[in-house]
Every structure is written in structure tokens, then in C-alpha cells.
Amino acid sequence: MSFAPQALIDRAALHHNLRRVRQAAPTSRIWAVIKANGYGHGMERVAQALTDADGFAVARIDEAVRLRAAGIDKPLLVLEGVFDAEALRAAAAHQVAVTVHQTQQLELLEQTLLAHPIEVWLKVDSGMHRLGFRPEAVAAVAQRLQQTPALGVLHLMTHLANADAPQDPANQDQCVRFDAIDTTPFAQLSIANSAGLLAFPECQRDWVRPGIMLYGVSPFSEGSGEPLGLKPVMRFSAPVIAVNRYETGEAVGYGGSYRCPEPMPVAVIGVGYGDGYPRHVPGGTPVLLRGRRLPLVGRVSMDMICVDARELPDLQPGEPALLWGPGLPVEEIARRAGTIPYELLCGITGRVGFVEVNSEEGRDGAG
Ligand SMILES: *Cc1c(COP(=O)(O)O)cnc(C)c1O
């Protein structure tokens, strides 16, 4: 029995969620977005599992190089592009497509001699105002790129700022600005992340770029993945390490923010913010034990949390508590922590043990 927190990664759920993307965007190709260590699930692990993706998108060149080193031979795209000649040569050598979103990147491409031509996704800022050329600059940038010997194929992409809130008219504004661009210089187009491809099918175009939904998590600011037909990929759990009894009025943990209203058992679970469990969740945040939601009491420590065990007074050390996963959506914990599920998933730290499982095989095995 392991007394360390564990993240179980379910390959069957990953496959299921990719199929869900295909169903939602049947005529588009899929960049599976696996930046930030596959949203905390393990980048190489996710890439090796998602054999049906059309390609993988990451944020930085070193992530793409790691994927090639792991034997991934699918198309790769670096969403932030490269910033020096060495990185550009690495991208070309590894046949990695790069985004070009600002003038220095354009000049780098013009000035660097490459052994192989490189595929480029020109990024246009259709209204997010983070990365990208203004729409009125696109034609001139495309022309310069096409005169660059280093250029292989040229594509066009943009990114939606408000797709998590589909009713926001800013989404339509961005699509209108994108559609006003003359796309004849470009082989392929891409607009939509998870929220965009689900909420705006008209934005799916040649490639969609889902990230969060592959991990079974809703991309929208409300609700969870299950009603969208998604299955959580990560099951984050940790063991009970002690069950103690306290008297009426005794305070639990740092700062004594919780006082026992009556004599009661308190279970200590061996997980804390040092593992990536969010420190800012309030008392009452649920933890699943034997399928029941027990409320957190007191503050989250670095290595431990405490829960009110009055509903399960016979709990024993070693019993596993689910922190998020099937039956307890990470979306709910994120909302209580005042953040988004992306941050919680990316925030799992190096001391959590990762285990790969396949829930479909498990079910077969169980008959
Ligand atoms: C991270 C990212 C995505 C994926 O977004 P999700 O909300 O996780 O689906 C898509 N496109 C770009 C440019 C990104 O940076």
C-alpha cells in the first residue's frame, strides 16, 4: 500500500475524449494540445496514448524536442514560436512547425539559413490582444514570408479570448475579423481551442486545437465535463494517515480556524499544497472517502489536510481519499479555490506518483 499521493492517468478516458473531439469537429484535423507537461498529466505519456491525434501542439521548442526524443513522429507545432537561430534550426531539423506572431520572429526566419524548410503558422490577433499581428498587417507579413527561402508551407491561425463564455459577443467579433482577412496565401486555417470548437462549430476550420477537453475537463466557466460527454483522465488521491478524536471547542490545524462543535473524529489525509492541492480552498471543500463527500476542516498544510470524519467514524489509515477525479470534478475544486481547473492540473508537483491505468481493460478484467 502506497502512503504517497497518486495521480492515476486513465488512457481509456484520453481516447474517449479525443473521440469526443472528432465527433464535435468531424471535418477538422486535431492538434492535441499537450503543453505544460500535458496539462500536468505527463506530456510524453499523453502523446504516446493519443495515437489518433493528427498532431501535437506545445508552447515551447524544448517541449517539441522532448517529444521527438520520446519517439513521437507526428506533426508538432510550437504555439509561441522560436526566438533565436538555434531554436529555429532545432525546429527545422526536427520538422516542427512554428508560429510567427511578431516582427522579430519574421526577421529571424528571413535571416537564418536552414537545412530544411520550415512550416509556419502566422498568428493574427483578431481581438485577444496577447499575441499576433494585426489583421491589416497580415498580407504584408505573408508576402515577406513567401519570399523567405526558409519557408515551407504557410498557414494562418488566431486564438479566441472569450470562448469559455460563448454568449460573449466578443467571440463573433473575433470570427468576423478573421473572416475579413484574405486567406489565399494560406494552406490551412485554425481558430478554435476546446471551448471554441464546442461552442462555435463554424470556427472549426482545417485544424482545431483542443487542450483541456482532452483531459475530460469542461472548457466553460460553468459546469463540468461529464454533461459534455467527457471523462476525467486524472484521479488524484492520497491516503488517510491518521484518525484522531477531538473534544468540543478544540481547534484543528494552523491558525485554529476550525473548532470542533462536538466530540468528533478528524481524519488526516497525506496531501497538501506541496503536492499541488490548492491552499486556498475553504473549509467545507469535499474529499471523497468510500464514495462519501467529507468536508475539509481547517487550513491546507504543505503535506496534509484534515477532514470531518463524523460520517465515517471507523475510517482507518491507508484508506484512499479522492481529491479530484471521477465523482468529484476538478472543476468544483477549482471553483472553490477561486481558480480554473487548468491551474490545478498543471500544479501537481514532482513528488506525486503517476500511474497509468486503462479503465476499459480494468472493466474487461473484472468480467
Ligand atoms: C493552450 C492553447 C490551446 C488549448 O486551449 P484549451 O482551452 O485547453 O482547449 C489552443 N490554442 C492555443 C494558442 C493555446 O495556447
Side-chain angles (χ1 to χ4, degrees):
M1 182 181 299
S2 165
F3 274 77
Q6 267 195 348
L8 255 59
I9 305 299
D10 183 1
R11 267 176 172 259
L14 271 171
H15 286 139
H16 170 90
N17 297 331
L18 182 63
R19 280 197 302 274
R20 178 71 184 93
V21 176
R22 283 251 182 257
Q23 181 195 40
T27 62
S28 302
R29 274 182 265 182
I30 301 172
W31 287 120
V33 181
I34 57 173
K35 62 198 180 188
N37 197 28
Y39 290 45
H41 294 66
M43 181 179 69
E44 288 90 342
R45 176 182 297 118
V46 174
Q48 272 149 3
L50 290 181
T51 48
D52 291 339
D54 298 298
F56 296 109
V58 291
R60 306 192 181 136
I61 183 68
D62 58 309
E63 295 174 314
V65 171
R66 263 173 55 200
L67 286 169
R68 287 287 184 247
I72 302 298
D73 57 10
K74 285 188 191 287
L76 299 180
L77 167 62
V78 176
L79 293 166
E80 290 177 12
V82 290
F83 300 93
D84 59 47
E86 193 189 341
L88 183 57
R89 284 194 206 99
H94 289 291
Q95 303 210 6
V96 172
V98 295
T99 298
V100 168
H101 55 76
Q102 40 92 317
T103 309
Q104 285 89 341
Q105 290 180 325
L106 171 62
E107 289 168 356
L108 184 66
L109 225 79
E110 289 174 329
Q111 291 158 12
T112 310
L113 215 60
L114 292 178
H116 315 269
I118 192 161
E119 203 163 326
V120 170
W121 283 82
L122 196 161
K123 186 159 190 178
V124 58
D125 176 10
S126 56
M128 180 160 179
H129 300 154
R130 187 178 63 180
L131 290 184
F133 292 94
R134 289 205 169 261
E136 54 274 21
V138 164
V141 175
Q143 200 176 21
R144 274 175 68 177
L145 281 167
Q146 284 173 322
Q147 290 160 1
T148 303
L151 184 84
V153 192
L154 182 60
H155 311 288
L156 182 69
M157 70 180 284
T158 195
H159 193 41
L160 300 174
N162 300 83
D164 63 323
Q167 53 311 331
D168 190 327
N171 291 300
Q172 303 307 334
D173 295 348
Q174 283 198 253
C175 292
V176 166
R177 269 181 229 122
F178 188 84
D179 285 334
I181 294 168
D182 172 12
T183 55
T184 44
F186 305 103
Q188 287 160 4
L189 308 177
S190 179
I191 301 178
N193 60 359
S194 302
L197 79 90
L198 288 174
F200 309 108
E202 67 278 15
C203 286
Q204 290 170 352
R205 308 302 160 96
D206 301 298
W207 286 82
V208 291
R209 307 188 308 271
I212 195 75
M213 72 181 287
L214 293 174
Y215 308 98
V217 175
S218 168
F220 300 115
S221 49
E222 274 155 32
S224 64
E226 205 191 325
L228 300 171
L230 301 171
K231 291 186 179 167
V233 172
M234 184 187 292
R235 170 191 284 270
F236 184 31
S237 66
V240 171
I241 62 169
V243 184
N244 302 313
R245 285 194 71 83
Y246 298 109
E247 299 302 325
T248 307
E250 286 188 315
V252 175
Y254 285 122
S257 60
Y258 180 83
R259 280 183 193 278
C260 298
E262 61 179 335
M264 61 185 271
V266 170
V268 184
I269 296 163
V271 70
Y273 61 81
D275 303 296
Y277 190 82
R279 202 183 83 90
H280 293 288
V281 288
T285 299
V287 165
L288 270 197
L289 267 148
R290 297 187 196 164
R292 292 215 211 177
R293 293 162 75 102
L294 300 192
L296 194 88
V297 296
R299 286 190 196 157
V300 172
S301 306
M302 187 181 288
D303 319 298
M304 284 170 269
I305 57 175
C306 297
V307 298
D308 174 347
R310 280 177 287 183
E311 266 199 62
L312 296 173
D314 62 333
L315 271 182
Q316 298 297 320
E319 290 192 53
L322 183 75
L323 308 161
W324 62 68
L328 184 55
V330 66
E331 292 92 327
E332 176 176 351
I333 307 301
R335 222 161 281 134
R336 291 184 185 252
T339 184
I340 53 174
Y342 299 75
E343 187 185 23
L344 296 192
L345 295 175
C346 290
I348 299 270
T349 67
R351 72 174 176 172
V352 173
F354 277 76
V355 181
E356 243 177 273
V357 295
N358 188 327
S359 59
E360 264 161 24
E361 279 172 9
R363 225 172 293 136
D364 290 344

